[in-house]
Amino acid sequence: MADFLTIAELPRQEILRLLEATRKNVPVAEGRSPNRTALNGRVIANLFFEDSTRTRCSFETAVHRLGGQVFNLTPSGSSISKGESLVDTARNIECMGVAAIVVRCAVSGGAKMVADGVKCPVINAGDGRHEHPTQAILDVSTLMEEFGSVEGRTIAIVGDITNSRVARSATHALATLGAHVRLVGPPTLVSKAFERISQGSGTVTTMSNLDRALEGVDAVMMLRVQFERAAGGAISSDYRQMFGLTPDRVARLAPHVIILHPGPMNRGIEIDDGVADDPQRSRILRQVTHGVAARMAVLEDLVGV
Ligand code: CP
């Protein structure tokens, strides 16, 4: 790979290869195995034009675990606040000799714009409503740790699907690997166009009745209502009742069903406290550990020595 911008265009074998590398990195991400040297002093630039906790910190941690160095650039305290563009910023940073640029931005397609403007590898850390490909790797990796394979498994992704880069990338990855994806939410937030992602034995179905959608699932991924992307205006006051994962709903799930959420969570809106913190079912913090392992895998693949 020259860049890592999208899951949608990644062949099944490439996804599986990254997942296998991620699996092997988990003990390093947990601090149980020694750090590695694949980046051997190389410098990675984290360009985060949009706020982040998990993605930014896990890319930083991944670089450290691979023996590299990393710096962060955010709008506050940089010339981005003076109006310098995404691409101009990236071009200047590239001239400092960085090995790769990790970019998060609010513009759908922004990571590709940066990749077209520089020669070094670019990693998409979430671009607008478009994609969040490393999140998809960590989501599937978390599911595979549980189930071995996602092929034939049924995963419900619930909430603000249309505005969600997490849902788009996860749906592509899961369908490519033969899972059955149910995309669930208010019709205003679930575009039927997602059903076209179905491929091979992997299916994608849109639904608007959460209780029906939860029948027979193996995992449930709850999504944050993205108030900053105007989704707040599209949800009604009964959102929690219609689409929230409440203890009552969880009590009706089969014992093996696990719960994911990419974070940050709106507790009491899409997910209740007792569900988010359920010690038996919640894998929400496990996803974060897999996030470090997944980002290590991508960095090693693109710029490892
Ligand atoms: N899941 C995720 O992208 O979280 P952050 O916005 O905190 O990086």
Side-chain angles (χ1 to χ4, degrees):
M1 294 187 298
D3 302 296
F4 189 63
L5 304 177
T6 168
I7 283 286
E9 290 162 22
L10 216 55
R12 175 188 167 88
Q13 282 313 318
E14 285 292 298
I15 297 175
L16 287 171
R17 195 174 55 74
L18 283 173
L19 285 164
E20 178 57 11
T22 300
R23 188 186 68 75
K24 289 182 177 159
N25 286 335
V26 168
V28 185
E30 291 171 330
R32 289 192 291 114
S33 291
N35 289 350
R36 305 227 305 279
T37 56
L39 291 187
N40 194 25
R42 289 185 159 197
V43 179
I44 307 298
N46 261 350
L47 265 54
F48 275 65
F49 295 83
E50 223 187 25
D51 291 343
S52 168
T53 296
R54 280 145 292 271
T55 311
R56 196 181 88 180
C57 295
S58 62
F59 266 111
E60 280 186 66
T61 308
V63 173
H64 290 305
R65 293 274 185 219
L66 292 171
Q69 290 168 3
V70 60
F71 66 87
N72 291 293
L73 199 70
T74 58
S76 167
S78 77
S79 290
I80 300 166
S81 68
K82 300 175 197 163
E84 190 162 26
S85 77
L86 201 63
V87 176
D88 279 342
T89 302
R91 281 185 177 145
N92 280 267
I93 296 298
E94 182 184 32
C95 290
M96 297 173 195
V98 300
I101 293 174
V102 178
V103 62
R104 164 168 290 195
C105 57
V107 181
S108 300
K112 172 86 167 71
M113 282 165 51
V114 171
D116 288 345
V118 300
K119 292 185 185 67
C120 70
V122 172
I123 301 171
N124 182 2
D127 61 333
R129 297 173 171 83
H130 175 227
E131 278 228 38
H132 195 349
T134 58
Q135 179 75 40
I137 298 295
L138 79 88
D139 289 338
V140 178
S141 179
T142 306
L143 289 163
M144 286 175 68
E145 182 175 65
E146 200 71 29
F147 301 125
S149 160
V150 293
E151 190 161 7
R153 294 283 178 179
T154 300
I155 320 294
I157 304 180
V158 185
D160 177 10
I161 305 291
T162 299
N163 290 294
S164 175
R165 57 196 177 204
V166 172
R168 187 167 285 99
S169 290
T171 301
H172 275 286
L174 288 166
T176 302
L177 298 176
H180 305 298
V181 184
R182 295 177 183 167
L183 299 174
V184 194
T188 48
L189 294 177
V190 183
S191 166
K192 275 215 163 282
F194 275 83
E195 295 188 352
R196 292 202 291 267
I197 298 172
S198 298
Q199 54 182 293
S201 60
T203 61
V204 181
T205 313
T206 56
M207 303 176 78
S208 56
N209 183 315
L210 178 57
D211 293 306
R212 208 166 296 151
L214 293 179
E215 288 170 11
V217 293
D218 296 295
V220 189
M221 183 192 297
M222 301 305 296
L223 297 176
R224 183 171 67 91
V225 176
Q226 300 185 90
F227 291 99
E228 77 278 20
R229 298 195 211 287
I235 69 164
S236 57
S237 55
D238 61 357
Y239 185 85
R240 175 180 169 274
Q241 187 191 334
M242 300 281 285
F243 297 105
L245 199 56
T246 58
D248 281 355
R249 286 194 164 109
V250 169
R252 295 196 289 273
L253 297 173
H256 74 281
V257 178
I258 61 168
I259 294 158
L260 293 86
H261 190 304
M265 292 182 277
N266 294 309
R267 288 173 180 260
I269 299 180
E270 73 264 6
I271 191 164
D272 279 16
D273 282 339
V275 178
D277 303 326
D278 183 327
Q280 264 73 51
R281 296 187 189 270
S282 175
R283 298 294 181 274
I284 295 169
L285 294 177
R286 191 67 184 154
Q287 287 174 268
V288 179
T289 303
H290 280 253
V292 175
R295 281 141 194 157
M296 286 174 68
V298 171
L299 284 164
E300 194 167 7
D301 202 69
L302 285 180
V303 288
V305 288

